[in-house]
Amino acid sequence: MKAAAMAAGIVASRRLRDLLSRRLTASNYSGLSISLRLTGSSAQEEAPDHSYESLRVTSAQKHVLHVQLNRPNKRNAMNKAFWREMVECFNKISRDADCRAVVISGAGKMFTAGIDLMDLASDILQPKGDDVARISWYLRDIITRYQETFSVIEKCPKPVIAAVHGGCIGGGESVAVLLLGVPGLYLLGVDLITACDIRYCAQDAFFQVKEVDVGLAADVGTLQRLPKVIGNQSLVNELAFTARKMMADEALGCGLVSRVFPDKEVMLDAALALAAEISSKSPVAVQSTKVNLLYSRNHSVAESLNYVASWNMSMLQTQDITKSVQAVTENKELKSVTFSKL
């Protein structure tokens, strides 16, 4: 009887969600659709000008793009195509006047197992040349290009929301496994999410800074960004020195993520709803806010105040302020305001 009641409750819950989705889709405020597309990424339309091997980019709703790591059979391991395509993708998003917010998630059973070292073994473990200086120069070029793969997310003026389920690993199996020729999946999931502006996760998510287990120091963002994200150097050191797993509740407690959800589906609904909320605001205001938050992270209060004063001496002249104030004085929903492209 209990099982039957539970099954009935699940069906009722799904019907309610579907009904809510249809009503939200039908609602339209002065041309601004606020459909949250609660039916998941499979129902989303492919975004124009975004065709990739390792990524799937869809138009989740008006002004929102959903970027999926799309190698589910390889646990979304990051191969050569990924390094190239992420830079191309986010450079396009930065220039896309229609896009105002982005959600990043992983297809399949986990967010990412990190770097696909088997795919990159020849570049990293067997660099060409026999001169130490030239080999080092070559490796430095590779490292800086990999760093840009995640820095491009941070540089993107549109807010980026990471939606993590399953594993988010900066690391992987031992180098011995690689040398024996067994396919291995490695490194860099934490580097990716720390470059994002907001992080949500499902209850099954876990996080690892796993590079020490493969005999190297993380070099594409984790050691630089994670201390500023969670503000606890002792915990950062512990995670980086031991490669232990951090589970979802601990990630929430230390501030790595801002919310934890029961499963992937609920988390994605929430992430897309958050992106929709952000995208309904003035793009001048939102993107100016991101730029100044990032500047303030790395500068003193005095320097940051001077920077925002210089920034706003031009941005305060936007028509978005007049539109927003008028909506408030007329007791209108801010979602009803149509802001120009930026």
Side-chain angles (χ1 to χ4, degrees), residues 17 200 260-272:
R17 189 184 65 195
Y200 281 0
V260 176
F261 298 88
D263 56 43
K264 178 183 178 181
E265 185 176 277
V266 175
M267 173 194 63
L268 276 175
D269 285 351
L272 291 171

Side-chain angles (χ1 to χ4, degrees), residues 107-124:
K109 295 182 179 180
M110 70 188 308
F111 183 73
T112 180
I115 191 173
D116 189 339
L117 195 50
M118 287 301 297
D119 186 63
L120 300 167
S122 59
D123 290 340
I124 297 175

Side-chain angles (χ1 to χ4, degrees), residues 39 81 288:
T39 52
S288 294

Side-chain angles (χ1 to χ4, degrees), residues 183-259:
L185 305 170
Y186 299 76
L187 313 178
L188 309 178
V190 176
D191 302 87
L192 190 161
I193 67 164
T194 52
C196 297
D197 302 294
I198 298 168
R199 289 163 293 276
Y200 281 0
C201 79
Q203 189 65 56
D204 68 347
F206 64 89
F207 307 83
Q208 282 183 278
V209 183
K210 200 117 169 49
E211 278 80 356
V212 292
D213 278 355
V214 235
L216 66 142
D219 57 7
V220 293
T222 288
L223 302 185
Q224 292 70 38
R225 295 188 177 101
L226 188 58
K228 296 177 179 180
V229 168
I230 68 177
N232 184 333
Q233 191 65 52
S234 176
L235 179 57
V236 171
N237 293 348
E238 178 190 334
L239 294 169
F241 294 157
T242 66
R244 75 167 176 84
K245 289 183 180 180
M246 172 186 279
M247 309 310 288
D249 289 340
E250 184 181 3
L252 177 63
C254 75
L256 178 59
V257 300
S258 52
R259 295 186 68 185

Side-chain angles (χ1 to χ4, degrees), residues 4-286:
M6 183 177 296
I10 292 172
V11 171
S13 176
R14 288 176 178 171
R15 287 177 178 171
L16 178 60
R17 189 184 65 195
D18 291 342
L19 177 61
L20 176 60
S21 177
R22 288 195 297 272
R23 287 182 177 178
L24 285 171
T25 303
S27 299
N28 198 297
Y29 297 88
S30 300
L32 178 61
S33 171
I34 61 167
S35 165
L36 301 184
R37 294 287 180 95
L38 299 177
T39 52
S41 62
S42 60
Q44 298 168 12
E45 298 177 358
E46 298 289 336
D49 301 323
H50 286 281
S51 177
Y52 308 108
E53 174 188 326
S54 67
L55 305 172
R56 180 173 182 249
V57 183
T58 54
S59 298
Q61 57 233 29
K62 191 173 184 180
H63 302 310
V64 176
L65 290 179
H66 183 188
V67 178
Q68 278 188 304
L69 310 186
N70 195 34
R71 300 183 73 213
N73 293 335
K74 294 290 187 179
R75 295 187 287 175
N76 295 323
M78 304 171 186
N79 62 355
K80 291 178 183 178
F82 170 84
W83 303 110
R84 178 182 69 255
E85 291 174 348
M86 278 290 282
V87 175
E88 180 184 348
C89 175
F90 274 89
N91 280 335
K92 285 182 178 179
I93 289 173
S94 293
R95 298 189 298 268
D96 185 352
D98 283 321
C99 178
R100 298 181 185 177
V102 183
V103 173
I104 296 183
S105 70
K109 295 182 179 180
M110 70 188 308
F111 183 73
T112 180
I115 191 173
D116 189 339
L117 195 50
M118 287 301 297
D119 186 63
L120 300 167
S122 59
D123 290 340
I124 297 175
L125 298 183
Q126 297 175 329
K128 298 176 183 179
D130 55 7
D131 179 78
V132 173
R134 285 167 176 78
I135 292 173
S136 299
W137 198 270
Y138 168 79
L139 289 174
R140 178 181 173 82
D141 179 65
I142 289 177
I143 292 168
T144 54
R145 282 191 282 117
Y146 288 179
Q147 289 174 341
E148 182 62 16
T149 301
F150 303 126
S151 293
V152 73
I153 299 172
E154 190 173 74
K155 292 175 184 177
C156 177
K158 323 299 170 68
V160 181
I161 304 161
V164 182
H165 75 288
C168 180
I169 306 173
E173 296 120 12
S174 67
V175 174
V177 175
L178 170 68
L179 297 178
L180 288 170
V182 181
L185 305 170
Y186 299 76
L187 313 178
L188 309 178
V190 176
D191 302 87
L192 190 161
I193 67 164
T194 52
C196 297
D197 302 294
I198 298 168
R199 289 163 293 276
Y200 281 0
C201 79
Q203 189 65 56
D204 68 347
F206 64 89
F207 307 83
Q208 282 183 278
V209 183
K210 200 117 169 49
E211 278 80 356
V212 292
D213 278 355
V214 235
L216 66 142
D219 57 7
V220 293
T222 288
L223 302 185
Q224 292 70 38
R225 295 188 177 101
L226 188 58
K228 296 177 179 180
V229 168
I230 68 177
N232 184 333
Q233 191 65 52
S234 176
L235 179 57
V236 171
N237 293 348
E238 178 190 334
L239 294 169
F241 294 157
T242 66
R244 75 167 176 84
K245 289 183 180 180
M246 172 186 279
M247 309 310 288
D249 289 340
E250 184 181 3
L252 177 63
C254 75
L256 178 59
V257 300
S258 52
R259 295 186 68 185
V260 176
F261 298 88
D263 56 43
K264 178 183 178 181
E265 185 176 277
V266 175
M267 173 194 63
L268 276 175
D269 285 351
L272 291 171
L274 176 64
E277 177 70 18
I278 292 170
S279 69
S280 71
K281 312 291 184 184
S282 157
V284 172
V286 171

Side-chain angles (χ1 to χ4, degrees), residues 308-327:
V308 74
S310 299
W311 183 275
N312 264 1
M313 68 184 188
S314 55
M315 295 299 110
L316 286 176
Q317 300 178 62
T318 178
Q319 296 178 359
D320 291 8
I321 295 176
T322 303
K323 292 179 179 180
S324 298
V325 172
Q326 184 176 355

